[in-house]
Amino acid sequence: MPHYQQGLAKSAGHEWFYLGVGGAVGLAVLVAVAALLAVRKRRQYPSLLLPPKQVIAVRGGFPKGPGGLKQSPSPLQSPLSNDSTPSPVVPLQTLLEDRTRKLSPSELPSERGNIAFTLSYDPHTLTLLVSIINCRNLCEMVVSRDGQCLLDPYVKLQLLPEREHRVKTRIVRSTTNPVYEEQFAMYGVTHEQVNFATLHFQVVAFDRYSRDTVVGECVYRLADAELQVHSEMRVELPLLPRATDTVAARGELLLSLTYQAAFNNLTVVVLKARGLGGRNDAGTADPFVKLYLRKESGERIVKKRTHVRRSTLNPVYNESFVFELPDDRLEHSVIDLQVINHDRVNRNDVIGRALLNMEDAHVVEVLENPGRQVAQWHHLD
């Protein structure tokens, strides 16, 4: 019996020994597996086992706007400012006026440049060929502060006195010496026209934002080319200012006209005036504009007026007026515009006056293009 009990004790001791060894081996395996997984995870995601970085509060570098909101810097800095603050929104027209200045006719030179062209005539097909070659030394109409050339010229041509065969060249950008090399064929020009007709050339400055301006013009009698004798004639002529390019001492008035044929309405926008001659004791004026729609006999149909602009010789109005023009009145109407100096003490003085009838070039262009807004300067007499 004692031997049996001693055997059971030894057997139990061996079992505990083996269990201890197995547990130690299992624990070692678990530790090894955990270490292996940790190494693999660290290789894939090294930042997971790194100690967290210390977060330090830094004062913001951008100023706060209204309500405590941060103002984010603009990716593009305004060329008109040297600081990093956001630039205000400036209208395009204001930017153009700040960077450029359009010359008035009185500031332009008397020599406007030259134009070169060639002429040839085919008596069998009654075809007159006019090739506009180039222009040289054109005067600029707009002055830029950075010295950039802003002249975009093109040439208009017509046959006088019938005003037939109206053609024009393409626009050449940013140059005072444009080269065209364009040929125009005028068909049906008879022998009598070759002997008595005249070519009228106009070099025009294209303006994207307002009415195009004539740089200079010239005329050429076809009889001087002797096309019956010469197969081709090359001619170069100087460009002269138009007779209306001389600014009157009383100033100018800028008007925009639009004709709505469907409603028989003529919209007149008084934009601004410049170089007004009427002055008070302080050397300025308080001008306003009166607009009359009259019959040819002078009888007044409608009267309108703008507001008074104080102490200025270059007032800006931007006021619009609509005149109803039925068809029976359209051909026999006159638009009478008077710029008047407002005087609080004495009688108002008329600074200048402009009359527009239905044969005026400005009015004719508006009537030929219903719905199109056309602006033009008018001299005050």
Side-chain angles (χ1 to χ4, degrees):
M1 192 66 184
H3 293 286
Y4 177 73
Q5 291 180 349
Q6 291 180 356
L8 289 177
K10 290 182 180 180
S11 176
H14 290 297
E15 289 179 358
W16 283 108
F17 174 76
Y18 291 128
L19 288 175
V21 172
V25 172
L27 181 60
V29 172
L30 290 177
V31 171
V33 172
L36 181 62
L37 292 176
V39 170
R40 290 184 178 181
K41 187 173 294 186
R42 182 174 182 179
R43 289 178 180 178
Q44 295 179 358
Y45 308 101
S47 61
L48 295 178
L49 299 180
L50 295 177
K53 294 183 179 180
Q54 186 176 4
V55 179
I56 303 176
V58 180
R59 182 179 180 182
F62 306 127
K64 292 186 178 181
L69 298 178
K70 291 183 179 179
Q71 296 178 349
S72 59
S74 175
L76 294 178
Q77 184 175 352
S78 170
L80 302 180
S81 61
N82 296 323
D83 55 3
S84 60
T85 57
S87 301
V89 178
V90 181
L92 177 61
Q93 188 66 25
T94 303
L95 286 176
L96 293 177
E97 292 178 356
D98 290 342
R99 298 180 180 180
T100 62
R101 183 175 69 88
K102 188 171 184 178
L103 299 178
S104 64
S106 63
E107 297 177 287
L108 298 177
S110 57
E111 298 179 357
R112 304 294 177 88
N114 293 52
I115 184 171
F117 56 92
T118 62
L119 300 173
S120 62
Y121 179 68
D122 187 348
H124 301 289
T125 60
L126 302 180
T127 303
L128 176 66
L129 296 178
V130 183
S131 298
I132 300 177
I133 302 174
N134 63 353
C135 295
R136 296 188 299 108
N137 302 325
L138 299 178
C139 65
E140 295 194 47
M141 312 297 290
V142 179
V143 177
S144 174
R145 290 187 178 181
D146 57 5
Q148 181 183 1
C149 179
L150 301 177
L151 185 66
D152 300 330
Y154 64 95
V155 180
K156 295 172 65 175
L157 170 64
Q158 64 178 341
L159 190 64
L160 300 178
E162 291 83 3
R163 297 183 180 273
E164 298 176 345
H165 306 286
R166 297 184 180 184
V167 294
K168 63 181 179 180
T169 67
R170 71 187 188 280
I171 299 172
V172 180
R173 303 287 182 180
S174 304
T175 179
T176 57
N177 298 281
V179 177
Y180 298 100
E181 298 288 352
E182 295 187 41
Q183 186 180 75
F184 301 97
M186 300 182 179
Y187 300 101
V189 179
T190 63
H191 299 279
E192 291 77 10
Q193 287 179 298
V194 172
N195 293 327
F196 298 103
T198 301
L199 289 174
H200 179 212
F201 296 88
Q202 280 189 332
V203 179
V204 185
F206 172 75
D207 193 328
R208 182 176 299 177
Y209 303 102
S210 63
R211 181 180 174 86
D212 296 350
T213 306
V214 175
V215 178
E217 63 182 2
C218 64
V219 293
Y220 184 77
R221 295 176 61 248
L222 290 179
D224 296 338
E226 298 181 351
L227 296 176
Q228 307 291 351
V229 179
H230 304 287
S231 59
E232 186 177 85
M233 190 70 172
R234 179 186 172 93
V235 183
E236 184 168 354
L237 297 175
L239 297 169
L240 303 175
R242 293 193 301 176
T244 57
D245 281 349
T246 303
V247 178
R250 298 179 179 273
E252 292 179 297
L253 186 64
L254 181 59
L255 301 175
S256 173
L257 304 179
T258 307
Y259 177 61
Q260 299 290 346
F263 304 99
N264 292 323
N265 287 342
L266 180 66
T267 302
V268 180
V269 182
V270 181
L271 297 172
K272 58 184 177 180
R274 64 185 179 188
L276 297 182
R279 291 174 172 84
N280 52 26
D281 296 336
T284 61
D286 299 329
F288 66 96
V289 182
K290 280 187 177 181
L291 301 89
Y292 300 93
L293 180 63
R294 301 181 184 274
K295 296 180 180 179
E296 287 184 337
S297 60
E299 180 183 352
R300 188 176 70 189
I301 303 174
V302 182
K303 172 186 173 182
K304 300 178 183 293
R305 58 166 288 175
T306 68
H307 293 87
V308 178
R309 295 293 182 261
R310 301 292 181 186
S311 302
T312 178
L313 298 177
N314 301 284
V316 177
Y317 298 101
N318 289 327
E319 297 186 39
S320 178
F321 306 93
V322 179
F323 294 95
E324 294 183 1
L325 295 174
D327 292 333
D328 57 348
R329 252 188 237 169
L330 187 58
E331 301 298 330
H332 306 284
S333 301
V334 176
I335 302 174
D336 183 3
L337 301 112
Q338 298 180 14
V339 181
I340 301 174
N341 182 27
H342 180 262
D343 196 325
R344 299 179 182 180
V345 179
N346 301 317
R347 184 177 179 180
N348 295 338
D349 298 324
V350 177
I351 297 176
R353 183 181 186 185
L355 294 175
L356 303 180
N357 55 31
M358 297 306 144
E359 296 180 356
D360 183 86
H362 190 188
V363 179
V364 170
E365 182 175 355
V366 171
L367 296 179
E368 291 178 350
N369 299 275
R372 178 184 174 188
Q373 186 176 7
V374 181
Q376 182 178 337
W377 286 98
H378 293 271
H379 302 293
L380 300 175
D381 301 324

